[in-house]
Amino acid sequence: MNSEARFLVSDRFYVDRHDETLIVERSPVPLHQKAYQVLIALMTRPNALVTKRELFEEVWGTLAVSDAVLTTAIKELRQALGDDARAPWAIATVHGRGYRLMVSVQASDEPAPAASREGAGVIEKRFAGLRVVLALVALVALGAGVLTLTPPFFGGAPASAAAPSIAVLPFNDYSRDAGHEWFGNSLAEEILNSLAQSQDLLVAARTSSFRYGKEADADIQEIADALDVSHVIEGSVQWEADQMRVTAQLIRAEDGFHVWSKSYYFPLATSDVMSLQRDIAEDIMSALNVGILGAREVSVEQPIDLEYYEHFIRGRELVMLRRPDSTLAGLEELKMLIQGVPDFGPGHAWLAYAYMFSAQFSGRPSEDAAKAAQFHVHRAMQLDPNSADTLTAAALLELARSNTDQALAYADRAVAANPNHVPALRRRGVILLMKGRAEEAHRDFLAVQARDPLSSITLSHVAMTFAILGDADRSTEAALEGIRWNPGDATAHSTLGRQLAAVGDYTAAIEELEKAVAINPNESLSTMVLSILYWQVGLDHFISFAEESKTWPGRAASAFSAGDFERGLELVEAYELGSPLLRRATFYYWQGDMADAYIPAKRLAAQNGLAEGGLAYSYQTGTIPVMLVMEANGDPQHELLRQRLEKLFADREPGDLAFGPDIYGAASWRMVNGEGDDAVAWLKDAGERGFIFRELYLDPVWDPLRDSLEFQAILAVMEERAAAIRSEIEAGETEEKN
């Protein structure tokens, strides 16, 4: 960037470095000197991470200052630019590391600010020519509905830049007799849930805020900075002989000022345990001067004794850990709850969650889990039909049955009941993605990120969002951030492994996925993706690391590579959740049997909105094969698919795309259009960058080139790369055994 130019110009604002002035939409905006210097540091490195250390050195030099002064400068800049930390378009926070300016900047001798954007221009431009989702995830996510993806802020009611945001920390247990920590956690969670029903308040989700318990080595300012909130609630509980004392306090993060505090005395003999959290939540709302939108109208409040309330809280907490042991333990706690309080609606909703999560994380057969969950969803709908928990459980059940339309209807109702409900927003995003409505899905995932920024699932969403936008660096950065905040978490390692595979770092990808499987061998997404990755690099003999139901994608691909079509199809039809469309259509297509491929291909197009423009999965879910199959069978929809694929891959050159699946799709598209030389150029570039496409041996689109010397040379390069990876991994296996 020209360091001598007078102006640094973006599309909504610019800086006059001679006059040290910020101009926003043609009007000067005053800034303190340090805030101005921070802005210059960010604008001279647009779209790059500028660490806190770098900012301190450039702006404050040798002066010793705290993080708070930098946070204050960033807040001043956001206010000046009209940016929102919860849904930023200008300055992104890279938690714990620094900040990134998200807009393009040019150095110029003339001020040339663009006209104001229409709508959310920067975000919409990023979605133009939507890239494909990571291939290995999409191969299994379509049927399983497990894809954990992650804009402006559309998924739930956003808070304005001036609206308060809040995190509720777990209440500390100061009782003489230990063992009451569960109640402090549950009280904080119920307060959080009550606050979350306000459309005027942004509430950090439990999975992010609860990591800052009594043992956390962080002050209020650090917590608020990590969670991007303006206020924090902390408190304590103390059990005595016949009563409990609860103290709560509301703290303004920027200066540590105690906005409000109060002590409550709660008789242990009462069965109305939920009244306490309601009283505290309403007091906090009054202090914040916002209202609970329909909080008392959307859910039925039921009295419950402390004994059973403990089962409810413990069960819910264990289920949310999403580990094999914790999911099953939570299931048992919730069973005990329902045995004692059979008409407690929230208990039935969470028991349904537990059953369905037991299939995903604990190896329970999916069909059995769905049957068990069905009764409890039905009972919850009878007892508490308008709560977000009940409606989200219903959506999850319908999704397990592949009823995506009904699942979406329930998810929409859940978000309407509670716009801050993270499970509802997350589930709706997954459903929208499965229906091919990718942009809407990403907006929901962004809403989840604003509320739950530190969880491994949320950061997996963020990594996937950047992958769809074609930004490999930020996608990898988000995946690494997931491990930073969640070391030893299976989802975090799985996310990083999938990301590394997509950029061609197969050895590291396999290592991360093996870690994820070691942590949780029952989590189906990691095992399925790892099985595909083993196949991709030629480690077919490794695919038997887990049972068939967890490794069927890799086993099926391996069978087909060995020429055993019947075995491959048998595995697909036995284990592909929902309708066995993706692999069945692809296998028939690979076999050249366009007639048998037609029915699953047509259903695939209809189910995932491909004909309506939903290219969320693009090549990975078979859009190109589906188009060719439909064309071969005279289906007029092939023309619309052709148009959409042309839009997706038009004006691309080798080297433009970062992800292997995108590159393979673009190369295949050249072959579909008879551009063999261009297709070879794409494959050569991919081979030079270390990508391996074993599909080249199977996909009939390559038949016209199969015997050419150029094509054989490309296969040789990729096989050499695969052989090196196999040697490296097998050597590592030998070392471990010794």
Side-chain angles (χ1 to χ4, degrees), residues 526-726:
S526 297
T527 56
M528 290 181 184
V529 172
L530 182 57
S531 75
I532 285 286
L533 195 52
Y534 280 147
W535 168 76
Q536 192 69 249
V537 301
L539 288 168
D540 298 56
H541 55 293
F542 277 24
I543 297 176
S544 59
F545 70 92
E547 62 189 67
E548 279 188 0
S549 64
K550 296 182 176 66
T551 57
W552 64 267
R555 290 174 187 259
S558 180
F560 201 92
S561 292
D564 192 348
F565 172 74
E566 295 300 329
R567 175 57 177 158
L569 191 59
E570 177 188 345
L571 286 163
V572 171
E573 293 185 337
Y575 297 113
E576 187 170 12
L577 299 181
S579 302
L581 301 175
L582 169 58
R583 277 300 190 180
R584 187 164 64 181
T586 302
F587 277 17
Y588 278 125
Y589 163 75
W590 282 352
Q591 184 80 353
D593 189 343
M594 297 300 200
D596 283 340
Y598 178 57
I599 292 178
K602 185 174 182 177
R603 289 176 60 194
L604 182 64
Q607 177 173 300
N608 293 285
L610 298 181
E612 288 74 42
L615 287 174
Y617 296 117
S618 188
Y619 186 81
Q620 286 75 5
T621 54
T623 306
I624 292 177
V626 164
M627 187 208 73
L628 294 173
V629 168
M630 288 186 161
E631 187 175 34
N633 286 275
D635 192 310
Q637 286 191 90
H638 81 86
E639 271 300 332
L640 182 56
L641 292 178
R642 178 177 287 276
Q643 293 171 16
R644 303 212 179 272
L645 284 163
E646 177 60 34
K647 182 179 179 181
L648 183 70
F649 293 121
D651 301 322
R652 299 289 187 188
E653 298 292 337
D656 285 350
L657 302 175
F659 299 108
D662 295 4
I663 296 167
Y664 187 80
S668 300
W669 186 242
R670 268 61 185 176
M671 285 300 297
V672 168
N673 289 285
E675 301 167 2
D677 291 343
D678 287 345
V680 167
W682 276 92
L683 291 183
K684 281 184 177 178
D685 178 70
E688 291 169 0
R689 292 160 64 183
F691 288 105
I692 301 169
F693 301 141
R694 199 172 178 187
E695 297 91 334
L696 291 171
Y697 291 96
L698 305 172
D699 192 339
V701 77
W702 300 104
D703 286 349
L705 295 179
R706 200 164 298 283
D707 295 329
S708 71
L709 293 177
E710 281 189 308
F711 190 77
Q712 290 300 316
I714 290 168
L715 293 179
V717 168
M718 292 190 178
E719 177 51 41
E720 183 179 355
R721 164 88 164 128
I725 292 170
R726 291 195 297 271

Side-chain angles (χ1 to χ4, degrees), residues 267-280:
L268 295 178
T270 182
S271 63
D272 191 13
V273 68
M274 291 187 177
S275 65
L276 179 61
Q277 62 89 11
R278 182 188 62 221
D279 292 344
I280 298 175

Side-chain angles (χ1 to χ4, degrees), residues 89-127:
W89 62 265
I91 301 173
T93 300
V94 182
H95 293 296
R97 299 181 64 193
Y99 301 91
R100 175 186 287 108
L101 189 69
M102 300 168 67
V103 299
S104 297
V105 176
Q106 292 183 339
S108 173
D109 292 327
E110 297 292 335
S116 298
R117 296 174 302 171
E118 296 181 7
V122 168
I123 298 301
E124 271 68 22
K125 288 175 186 175
R126 288 180 178 176
F127 278 103

Side-chain angles (χ1 to χ4, degrees), residues 459-494:
L459 289 164
S460 178
H461 295 169
V462 174
M464 187 67 69
T465 298
F466 282 132
I468 291 170
L469 295 173
D471 192 329
D473 290 340
R474 293 194 198 179
S475 185
T476 301
E477 184 178 284
L480 289 168
E481 194 81 350
I483 290 179
R484 174 176 175 266
W485 286 107
N486 306 277
D489 179 86
T491 298
H493 286 289
S494 178

